[in-house]
Amino acid sequence: MSSLKRSRRRHSTSVRTLALLTGALTVPGVSAPAPAAAAATCSSTSNVYVLEEEPGSGKKNYFDRTLRKYVDFDPQGGGANAPLVSTDHTAKIPWTAKIVAGRAGKFYVFDRNGVKSYRDATAEGGSLLQPVSTFVDAGIEWLSFEKIWTSGDTIYAIDRQGAFKAYMETSGTKLPPGQKTFMTAPSLATPDPAMLQDLRAAQDVWAEGGKIYSLNGGVIKKYAKSGPIGSGYGVTVIATNLKDAVQGWSPGNGTVYTTTTSRDYSGIVRGYTGTGTLSSANPNVMSGLFGQVLSDTPECLAPATDGKPVVGPPADETGLPAATAETDPAPEPVPVGPRVVRGIFTLGNGKPAAGMNVLLETTDVVAENPATAGTAVLGTTTTAADGSWSFTLPEQLPAEVTASAAANGGALNVSATVAGTTSTGVPMVGLDHTVAAPEDPVTNKPTAFGAAVSGEQHTTAMIPAAAPETVFSQPTAQQEASTYAAEQAASSIGSAGPAPSWQSDNAASDAGLNPYLVNGSDVSGERVTLYASGTCHTQRIFLSSRIAYTTVAEGHAFWDTYATVDYDNKLSTAVDVAVSGGGDWKASGSVSLASNSGQSTGYTNQGPYFARQYQVPIEYSKYKFTYYCGGIAKNSYQKIIAERYKVPAGGAVGKMGADVRYKDGYNAYVDSPKNNRAYVEPGSYFQLSRGKSAKWGGAVSVFGVSLGASTTYDRDHKQRITAGKKTNYRHIIWGRSGPVSGSPGLFFSF
């Protein structure tokens, strides 16, 4: 299971259900029932159910599927004024069964043993699929129907011969309790041949309020009875040019929703409203929905309420401090000895790599053209008995190194390399990447950026390397499209989880991969012997470069709030370095990038119910490295390194990234640490402009590999939230990594 799926499940497993209190929606159940004596009231919410399958390219999934309940907080407005959220109510559906939804939370499940009906009993604390009836029917081949859908208590179907059928359930007169049967629906309005052809060819068919809808090729048609019962249907085209829509549903009152895919996490829900031709109400009601949609239809719909979409018992707001612009987090302490780089090298099995020579070089591109750029040797050191090492930059650095650091905001990217052979002759290499902060030649002090990003220490395992003469094969575009990185890039929702330890750049990653299995033997624990004595260095050969949009910021705004992300004037970001000994890739340290030429401006006052990442274009280069000792080539390996901010010809200086709304709202708030919470006064704002952001997993996909990134906040790089003026609820925020007044990394919104 991918980290994307794990993060999505984690953030969608605590939504409760609904009820209407004074201005907000809250209770530990579902919508509070109307008083018995009162007439039916219109609902401002409706339920949506999604049958989720494991994402993939159409492969048969021989495992149970998950039926998941969502709540639409603005069905009348097509999601324009309130969100669509997932709940923690789920049920399993065998892959051999079909399921359709009836009215008021009713379901019919068809399998080889017949038909059973269920109801959504979560309102009373029951299950999502509580059994109701078993149907006794001979001669109805439910699983063979080409299309099957419901309208109220009527089940519609089209069989393999193209015949239109309709059935209604009946208790009969002699059936035991809990058993029912079906009968042909009376006074059936039969479609004409053109309508029947439309329905058979449609990508999706659904019904609502006696009307039937079809979606095919971006066109939605509505079929309504045009005269007395049994007289047939009239057809109206209500939407065209919906090129990315693959399925749809309607909660009623002229609202129609579509999804852009049913097979993976890139699905975007779009909302439309209108009494005739549909108009766009919200082009992105939610992202990340996938699967077969089964919609419930309320008796009638009311506008969205003005309160927070609160689900479950009232949120605990006790002891919340006020967060204001004046309570920006305190600056992080300047690392001691910013000229020092350090780390730990281990064998593949985690035991110390002791007594290894560590070669320290610059990582930064010295020349404007990466194809002609080189590295500079800074010095060497030796690992201690526990595998640790440290190195202090020389007082006098080569002029090109000083210039490189100055051009990079005062941060000097350093690579650390150890190499040798195992007892069975397998070449091994350890590759770490860290940052130092030499003194600025003008001020004789490290820059604020250099000091902020230096001082990290990594533990790095040695990996098998390739022979020095190896010519590394490069994946094709088709191969890259099948990778974990491609899955991340295609998803419309951001992943909160880390990438796999190892990634293939030409196929889906193998979770069970053992990179230390060489020629049938596991070399992870073999002793590594140094190469023969002599001066060591690396030779870098440029392979190719690409520009890829990389996540560098993230903003959040839930109820009555607005998000602003500033990423102005220059880079201020650390990006993973990927390394490969010739097989799969892994992240190994990072490079920190700064510049004075970036011009992307982020976004301003987006919301409410908004949360998006922000991306800027960064150029990445892939290199082959050959390790030399005593003038003899010993091994080779590859690296993918972020180089600089670079706008592609005709490209954007920055753009919106993935949708991360699943990190906000009631459920995420309930799961958040209490010490990390605060609230923003109505009409005021809070921002992060110091410290480091949290790390984004899957910040960029390049060369078939997914890499993480983080940003250093300063006056040009900020996350801000502005509260509206509503006072019936607090505008709550909380830090991801700590209190908002400390070092939160990111903050979220409720």
Side-chain angles (χ1 to χ4, degrees):
M1 183 181 292
S2 71
S3 62
L4 171 65
K5 186 170 184 179
R6 286 196 298 270
S7 68
R8 184 174 186 273
R9 288 292 181 270
R10 181 173 65 252
H11 288 285
S12 65
T13 55
S14 55
V15 181
R16 280 65 177 174
T17 42
L18 314 171
L20 195 60
L21 294 183
T22 310
L25 304 167
T26 175
V27 262
V30 152
S31 303
T41 57
C42 293
S43 174
S44 62
T45 66
S46 67
N47 297 327
V48 179
Y49 306 90
V50 180
L51 185 61
E52 299 175 345
E53 298 181 12
E54 184 73 15
S57 54
K59 295 181 180 179
K60 179 70 73 175
N61 179 13
Y62 293 99
F63 300 94
D64 287 350
R65 297 162 293 171
T66 299
L67 182 69
R68 185 175 300 276
K69 181 178 179 179
Y70 289 75
V71 177
D72 182 354
F73 283 89
D74 184 27
Q76 188 186 71
N81 306 298
L84 176 67
V85 297
S86 171
T87 78
D88 61 351
H89 301 302
T90 62
K92 293 298 183 181
I93 303 293
W95 70 270
T96 54
K98 289 183 178 181
I99 182 172
V100 295
R103 186 182 296 276
K106 190 171 188 177
F107 302 93
Y108 297 98
V109 176
F110 312 92
D111 60 23
R112 294 168 181 169
N113 298 318
V115 184
K116 293 182 179 179
S117 65
Y118 301 83
R119 70 180 184 91
D120 177 358
T122 55
E124 307 96 66
S127 65
L128 181 57
L129 289 182
Q130 180 167 303
V132 176
S133 301
T134 298
F135 288 83
V136 182
D137 293 285
I140 303 178
E141 298 182 2
W142 297 102
L143 294 179
S144 68
F145 289 137
E146 287 184 355
K147 295 280 195 307
I148 186 167
W149 68 97
T150 63
S151 178
D153 295 327
T154 303
I155 299 178
Y156 295 98
I158 299 175
D159 66 18
R160 291 175 179 173
Q161 289 71 45
F164 184 75
K165 310 219 179 248
Y167 303 94
M168 295 185 68
E169 64 177 66
T170 176
S171 298
T173 57
K174 298 182 179 180
L175 293 176
Q179 290 191 1
K180 292 186 177 182
T181 187
F182 285 102
M183 67 177 184
T184 301
S187 303
L188 173 65
T190 304
D192 61 30
M195 175 181 169
L196 192 56
Q197 183 177 354
D198 283 347
L199 297 180
R200 293 190 71 184
Q203 294 167 277
D204 197 18
V205 178
W206 68 96
E208 171 270 320
K211 300 178 287 291
I212 298 174
Y213 298 82
S214 69
L215 167 65
N216 195 26
V219 176
I220 297 178
K221 294 181 180 180
K222 179 176 70 175
Y223 310 89
K225 294 177 181 178
S226 56
I229 293 177
S231 63
Y233 293 84
V235 58
T236 305
V237 175
I238 60 173
T240 59
N241 203 34
L242 307 182
K243 295 181 180 179
D244 58 359
V246 298
Q247 63 176 328
W249 73 92
S250 176
N253 282 26
T255 297
V256 170
Y257 291 99
T258 65
T259 60
T260 60
T261 180
S262 59
R263 297 300 309 171
D264 58 37
Y265 291 104
S266 62
I268 297 175
V269 176
R270 309 195 193 283
Y272 303 88
T273 57
T275 56
T277 302
L278 297 176
S279 299
S280 175
N282 187 341
N284 192 334
V285 178
M286 73 164 289
S287 299
L289 182 143
F290 73 100
Q292 176 190 348
V293 178
L294 310 168
S295 177
D296 203 356
T297 306
E299 291 295 330
C300 62
L301 296 176
T305 70
D306 191 42
K308 271 190 183 181
V310 175
V311 288
D316 180 11
E317 300 182 8
T318 57
L320 286 180
T324 66
E326 287 71 37
T327 58
D328 264 353
E332 294 183 350
V334 175
V336 177
R339 297 179 65 91
V340 178
V341 289
R342 56 175 60 85
I344 299 172
F345 280 113
T346 72
L347 303 178
N349 62 1
K351 293 184 177 181
M356 301 295 294
N357 292 334
V358 184
L359 173 65
L360 285 306
E361 300 173 291
T362 61
T363 300
D364 300 305
V365 172
V366 178
E368 176 67 18
N369 183 353
T372 61
T375 60
V377 175
L378 299 172
T380 61
T381 187
T382 304
T383 60
D386 62 355
S388 65
W389 61 271
S390 66
F391 177 80
T392 302
L393 296 181
E395 290 295 329
Q396 295 295 323
L397 292 169
E400 66 269 21
V401 174
T402 301
S404 178
N408 194 42
L412 180 66
N413 292 303
V414 177
S415 70
T417 307
V418 296
T421 57
T422 70
S423 55
T424 56
V426 176
M428 301 289 286
V429 65
L431 304 166
D432 191 11
H433 301 84
T434 187
V435 182
E439 290 83 358
D440 183 271
V442 176
T443 65
N444 292 320
K445 295 180 180 180
T447 66
F449 174 74
V453 298
S454 63
E456 287 192 356
Q457 176 174 294
H458 313 126
T459 297
T460 305
M462 299 183 73
I463 61 174
E469 67 276 9
T470 300
V471 177
F472 295 107
S473 61
Q474 303 304 318
T476 65
Q478 183 177 8
Q479 287 174 327
E480 286 188 20
S482 66
T483 61
Y484 168 86
E487 176 191 349
Q488 300 296 301
S491 175
S492 60
I493 60 172
S495 172
S501 298
W502 294 88
Q503 297 180 56
S504 170
D505 62 358
N506 56 44
S509 294
D510 179 7
L513 172 72
N514 180 0
Y516 297 98
L517 196 62
V518 180
N519 298 325
S521 298
D522 190 325
V523 300
S524 62
E526 290 187 4
R527 179 181 177 183
V528 177
T529 303
L530 293 172
Y531 291 120
S533 61
T535 301
C536 299
H537 71 282
T538 64
Q539 180 188 68
R540 181 168 71 176
I541 299 176
F542 171 79
L543 298 177
S544 61
S545 285
R546 292 183 188 176
I547 297 172
Y549 283 86
T550 305
T551 298
V552 295
E554 183 172 311
H556 291 263
F558 196 65
W559 171 82
D560 193 37
T561 54
Y562 303 88
T564 296
V565 158
D566 287 333
Y567 197 87
D568 298 341
N569 302 325
K570 59 185 180 180
L571 283 173
S572 183
T573 294
V575 185
D576 288 344
V577 175
V579 300
S580 169
D584 281 9
W585 294 79
K586 69 175 300 184
S588 183
S590 63
V591 293
S592 290
L593 305 178
S595 74
N596 296 316
S597 59
Q599 299 299 321
S600 61
T601 56
Y603 51 76
T604 301
N605 289 336
Q606 298 291 317
Y609 305 118
F610 172 92
R612 293 289 292 273
Q613 295 176 341
Y614 192 69
Q615 299 179 321
V616 299
I618 293 178
E619 184 176 47
Y620 294 81
S621 292
K622 181 188 285 189
Y623 297 97
K624 174 186 176 180
F625 284 77
T626 302
Y627 187 87
Y628 287 82
C629 273
I632 300 174
K634 298 296 184 180
N635 63 46
S636 63
Y637 46 89
Q638 295 183 97
K639 294 185 183 182
I640 298 171
I641 304 174
E643 309 273 46
R644 57 182 173 172
Y645 174 89
K646 186 176 182 181
V647 181
V653 297
K655 65 181 184 179
M656 292 288 190
D659 188 321
V660 284
R661 283 177 285 185
Y662 67 87
K663 299 179 183 179
D664 293 327
Y666 174 85
N667 311 294
Y669 173 74
V670 168
D671 293 339
S672 68
K674 289 187 177 181
N675 290 340
N676 294 4
R677 302 171 180 172
Y679 70 92
V680 183
E681 292 282 2
S684 68
Y685 71 89
F686 173 79
Q687 70 181 23
L688 291 181
S689 54
R690 300 188 186 116
K692 294 181 182 178
S693 75
K695 188 172 183 178
W696 292 281
V700 64
S701 295
V702 61
F703 294 113
V705 180
S706 179
L707 303 174
S710 61
T711 287
T712 301
Y713 295 120
D714 56 33
R715 65 182 181 180
D716 298 311
H717 308 87
K718 301 185 288 288
Q719 179 192 355
R720 174 186 289 194
I721 189 169
T722 301
K725 296 184 178 180
K726 295 179 181 178
T727 58
N728 48 336
Y729 293 95
R730 282 178 169 173
H731 305 84
I732 299 174
I733 61 174
W734 66 96
R736 172 180 169 178
S737 305
V740 296
S741 59
S743 298
L746 296 170
F747 63 80
F748 308 127
S749 172
F750 167 53

